[in-house]
Amino acid sequence: DPEFIMKHAIDSANSASAYSTGVKTGVNMMGVDLYEQPVRTILEEAETCGKSGGIMSSVPILHATPAAFVTHTNYRKNGHQLADGFRETEATWA
């Protein structure tokens, strides 16, 4: 229920997702809208334009903040879905 989702405080997953997509989402969600439909990240937009993009992180790459720039999931701890998102995106890792 989007109204329920809108009433809760944000976390690092959906705040990073808002930065990477420009779309507000719910708690624990990354790269999807309030209806859990995938939205394109800035990295995917760059790749569409023939540019390259990457992620630099001091934390494990599947943590919410770096993952929000690459993956699409309705739950930040869905490890298989996060890993699949990284494989599907041709990001440069550092």
Side-chain angles (χ1 to χ4, degrees):
D1 178 16
E3 287 184 36
F4 176 81
I5 292 170
M6 296 289 282
K7 293 178 183 176
H8 289 80
I10 63 170
D11 64 1
S12 61
N14 64 344
S15 61
S17 184
Y19 281 123
S20 70
T21 66
V23 176
K24 184 172 181 168
T25 191
V27 174
N28 291 317
M29 300 165 87
M30 298 181 284
V32 296
D33 63 17
L34 290 173
Y35 299 98
E36 301 182 13
Q37 297 302 306
V39 292
R40 295 177 61 78
T41 67
I42 192 167
L43 180 61
E44 292 168 318
E45 291 292 342
E47 289 176 344
T48 298
C49 295
K51 306 292 182 184
S52 60
I55 306 219
M56 182 179 288
S57 179
S58 61
V59 299
I61 205 73
L62 292 180
H63 275 211
T65 303
F69 285 81
V70 178
T71 62
H72 306 276
T73 184
N74 63 351
Y75 185 58
R76 69 190 288 166
K77 294 185 180 181
N78 187 342
H80 292 294
Q81 196 172 18
L82 294 173
D84 289 346
F86 275 97
R87 279 192 291 277
E88 291 168 6
T89 306
E90 297 176 10
T92 302
W93 298 14

